[in-house]
Amino acid sequence: MKVLTPARVGAVLLTLLALLAGSALLGLVVGPSALSPEAVVAALFEDRAGTAGDIVWRVRLPRIALAALVGASLASSGVIFQALLRNPLADPFVLGVSGGAALGGIVVLSLGGALGLGYAAVPPAAFAGCLLTTAVLYAVAGVRGHVSSTNLLLTGVVFNAFASAAIVFLASLAGLTDGARIFLWLIGNLSVSRIDVAIWVALFLALGLGASICLARSLNLLALGDEAAGQLGVPVEWHRRVLLLATSLMVGAAVSVAGLVGFVGLIIPHLLRLVLGPDHRLLVPAAALGGAAFLVVCDTVARSVLGGRELPVGAITAIVGGPLFLFLLRRHQQRVFAP
Amino acid sequence: MSRGLTVDRLRVVLGGHPVLRDVSFEVRPGEVVGLLGRNGAGKTTLLRVVTRAITPDGGEVRVGEMPVARLARRELARAVAIVPQETTVPFPFRAGELVLMGRAPHQPLFGFETRSDVERARAAMNRMGIGDLADRSVFELSGGERQLAVFARALVQEPEIMLLDEPTAFLDLRHRIDVLRAVREFAAAGGAALVVSHDLSLAARICDRLVLLGDGEVIAQGPAAEVLSEEVLARAFAVRADILRAPDGAPVVVPRLS
């Protein structure tokens, strides 16, 4: 009988860590000013002062760090939503939770000045937006812990539309005339991100991910349904609350840095589940590392594929994720109707 | 050794309708009790009260002397295991992983299965004749095989009381006997088992006593030979039935069409 062992968890996580390091190196090398791998390594470990040092330490490394934090947050949140809602199509973006976070963030960006709130208030506001959206989601789509796919997806679609409209409305109201910036916020990108919130994001991610890993065994049981989990000794209500709090922290952090980057929470968990199986003790940390590596690569593509001009990273993830979502939807329906 | 299960003047109202009105019975250690009654008689509701999925509106369920409402979730899970009618698993867990989940109430919040956990799971799966399916995805199992895996999960939970809700509904005759024999063995080892069934003859054969529910009340309880009478069946199921006798004396219920 195959069982999950600490050795297997260690081996998988080390492999993914190496993958993340590789993608980070790629992100350091690729860019408008070509740097050779040797120059990057030299700038990293020997000479921080020169032009190469500047590019590596001031431009590319912060950007890579943010991409990694955002990817890790979104992918692990995706895993948790999928288990809690017992639905492989759940993803913070699809569910509208990211939209709620973005709305929270834009409230502070557009009205915060009047209230004396600075940019640092954006992550907590996005977190609050997430929590509220999650509550709405459960209230509208959920009936006694059971949430049908159709209800869930419809609620998500409607909420996303609502959030986008509200964001544009608020931004116009506040005279945030920088339309391009709002557009980037809505599609998700890292080019205008501010590194000074990175510490917040890292903190939110650490808290959320830590709590989720501690409750990973409960996630396995919760995936069987509330009643089955309770019957196997899981205090369902409070574990679910902690896990939803954790996802809200992570999604809030990710969105406040990068806006609405979609589908990372769908693509990465799905791929990893195919390879590693569904045990959340492995899947949750693996998704964090895999999501980080994935978004670093996507962002590298986004800022280099058009030469000098940048694409928003959200466009890349949506181009990959949209078709995958449709494919999963079809497969999932087959499974639901013909188990 | 089990402390046994006591259902004491249980009353449940769901959506304004009384589902259980005043239900009392016991399942003593070493005993297999069959819970019978027509669809909607409140059998599944009763099991869900025992596992605390439903809070009763009156009365209580006790494990030994201890009301289940006062047990912590994990304690309850170590005392009571349930094999539900149906188990849906949204992700491709392996059968072995599903069975090992039964060890959850004995394990810490985070950690890995110990060697003894794995041994127990393997033994339970072999016991149910699905030892060779351990590494198969549950998506690839038939409904019956999945039910056997869930039964093995209940075994490794090592409960004092086992609740079975139509445990044999999807099973062929061979596996049906495997499950029922395992239930008898569980009781012989001192456990208490409560089995919901629609197969009256099979229930009569494996249960020490039967409890017949109708309209939220206990219509009759006692040994099968006493409970399964034409008159009682007419009241409980609104059918006329012949009660035959198997060579060993066990009652066999054959419903009439008119």
Side-chain angles (χ1 to χ4, degrees):
Chain A
M1 188 185 295
K2 286 184 204 154
V3 286
L4 189 66
T5 57
R8 176 165 157 78
V9 173
V12 169
L13 295 186
L14 277 179
T15 310
L16 285 167
L17 206 58
L19 200 69
L20 176 59
S23 57
L25 198 59
L26 181 77
L28 286 173
V29 171
V30 174
S33 13
L35 292 180
S36 69
E38 294 80 23
V40 165
V41 172
L44 272 180
F45 298 108
E46 289 155 25
D47 175 26
R48 288 186 179 201
T51 322
D54 261 3
I55 293 175
V56 164
W57 283 96
R58 285 166 181 258
V59 181
R60 292 188 188 166
L61 211 51
R63 175 94 180 241
I64 288 166
L66 281 176
L69 289 172
V70 170
S73 300
L74 292 176
S76 33
S77 304
V79 170
I80 295 163
F81 274 125
Q82 285 151 26
L84 286 181
L85 297 166
R86 313 186 65 209
N87 194 319
L89 298 171
D91 158 274
F93 178 73
V94 172
L95 294 173
V97 176
S98 295
L103 187 53
I106 211 82
V107 166
V108 166
L109 282 181
S110 55
L111 311 174
L115 304 171
L117 295 172
Y119 195 72
V122 171
F127 164 63
C130 267
L131 269 186
L132 277 175
T133 317
T134 310
V136 169
L137 197 71
Y138 263 88
V140 174
V143 185
R144 292 174 55 87
H146 181 80
V147 185
S148 85
S149 284
T150 320
N151 279 358
L152 202 63
L153 299 180
L154 280 177
T155 313
V157 166
V158 171
F159 195 85
N160 269 332
F162 170 79
S164 305
I167 287 167
V168 172
F169 180 73
L170 272 176
S172 314
L173 203 66
L176 291 188
T177 45
D178 190 351
R181 226 186 123 137
I182 304 266
F183 164 75
L184 287 175
W185 178 270
L186 284 176
I187 196 150
N189 95 107
L190 288 157
S191 63
V192 292
S193 303
R194 290 173 48 164
I195 189 67
D196 52 349
V197 294
I199 186 74
W200 275 99
V201 178
L203 184 71
F204 279 27
L205 173 64
L207 279 174
L209 193 60
S212 319
I213 290 173
C214 286
L215 295 184
R217 180 177 258 161
S218 291
L219 266 180
N220 286 343
L221 301 167
L222 286 164
L224 301 180
D226 288 359
E227 233 176 285
Q231 184 269 316
L232 288 164
V234 177
V236 174
E237 276 311 317
W238 86 262
H239 278 192
R240 185 184 14 241
R241 279 198 197 120
V242 171
L243 287 161
L244 288 176
L245 213 61
T247 53
S248 295
L249 277 171
M250 293 191 282
V251 175
V255 170
S256 53
V257 174
L260 291 175
V261 179
F263 298 109
V264 179
L266 192 74
I267 300 167
I268 296 305
H270 185 75
L271 284 180
L272 289 174
R273 206 180 280 117
L274 272 181
V275 180
L276 304 175
D279 194 322
H280 292 88
R281 289 172 293 178
L282 179 56
L283 197 55
V284 171
L289 290 174
F294 175 72
L295 208 62
V296 168
V297 171
C298 283
D299 190 49
T300 305
V301 172
R303 62 189 164 79
S304 60
V305 73
L306 291 186
R309 283 173 304 151
E310 281 202 14
L311 274 174
V313 67
I316 307 285
T317 60
I319 285 169
V320 180
L324 177 76
F325 175 79
L326 294 177
F327 169 75
L328 288 179
L329 181 65
R330 194 175 148 68
R331 237 180 64 145
H332 180 59
Q333 272 175 346
Q334 280 168 349
R335 187 161 288 146
V336 166
F337 294 123
Chain B
M1 187 68 182
S2 173
R3 288 172 279 176
L5 180 75
T6 306
V7 176
D8 189 5
R9 286 165 296 166
L10 201 59
R11 215 160 50 73
V12 174
V13 180
L14 292 180
H17 298 284
V19 180
L20 298 174
R21 285 190 229 247
D22 182 27
V23 173
S24 301
F25 65 88
E26 267 184 81
V27 187
R28 291 183 283 267
E31 221 181 16
V32 180
V33 170
L35 188 60
L36 314 178
R38 68 164 94 175
N39 293 332
K43 306 182 296 290
T44 301
T45 302
L46 193 146
L47 298 191
R48 295 180 71 208
V49 173
V50 181
T51 59
R52 281 221 326 243
I54 295 180
T55 312
D57 297 279
E60 63 179 15
V61 174
R62 292 189 293 272
V63 173
E65 297 299 314
M66 180 62 110
V68 292
R70 299 234 314 262
L71 286 168
R73 269 260 158 244
R74 276 165 69 84
E75 287 173 335
L76 182 60
R78 284 194 289 252
V80 178
I82 184 168
V83 179
Q85 246 165 26
E86 235 183 328
T87 302
T88 53
V89 185
F91 303 114
F93 285 107
R94 290 190 295 268
E97 290 177 308
L98 188 68
V99 173
L100 275 169
M101 288 183 195
R103 295 302 296 162
H106 301 275
Q107 292 164 331
L109 191 61
F110 184 85
F112 296 88
E113 282 77 22
T114 63
R115 187 171 295 173
S116 98
D117 290 332
V118 177
E119 278 316 311
R120 281 165 220 244
R122 188 172 295 152
M125 293 188 85
N126 287 337
R127 174 72 193 78
M128 300 320 296
I130 49 169
D132 52 338
L133 301 180
D135 292 330
R136 267 294 187 90
S137 154
V138 290
F139 287 178
E140 296 165 19
L141 302 185
S142 71
E145 287 166 339
R146 206 177 310 171
Q147 191 70 353
L148 293 170
V150 173
F151 189 87
R153 185 182 78 193
L155 285 178
V156 301
Q157 214 171 324
E158 297 184 340
E160 301 173 42
I161 296 154
M162 202 178 306
L163 311 174
L164 301 105
D165 196 354
E166 294 273 359
T168 58
F170 297 112
L171 299 180
D172 62 35
L173 209 50
R174 172 75 255 160
H175 283 135
R176 212 170 267 214
I177 297 304
D178 284 345
V179 166
L180 296 176
R181 199 180 282 158
V183 172
R184 285 263 38 136
E185 273 174 25
F186 171 75
L194 181 62
V195 183
V196 168
S197 179
H198 283 302
D199 188 333
L200 306 184
S201 308
L202 209 55
R205 190 166 283 263
I206 75 136
C207 297
D208 301 299
R209 284 185 305 121
L210 300 181
V211 173
L212 200 54
L213 284 186
D215 286 332
E217 290 174 338
V218 175
I219 294 180
Q221 59 175 314
E226 292 170 23
V227 169
L228 295 180
S229 69
E230 284 190 41
E231 182 228 330
V232 168
L233 289 180
R235 268 179 65 201
F237 294 98
V239 293
R240 290 174 4 115
D242 295 312
I243 317 287
L244 313 179
R245 295 281 157 194
D248 64 351
V252 177
V253 179
V254 184
R256 288 189 210 152
L257 284 180
S258 59

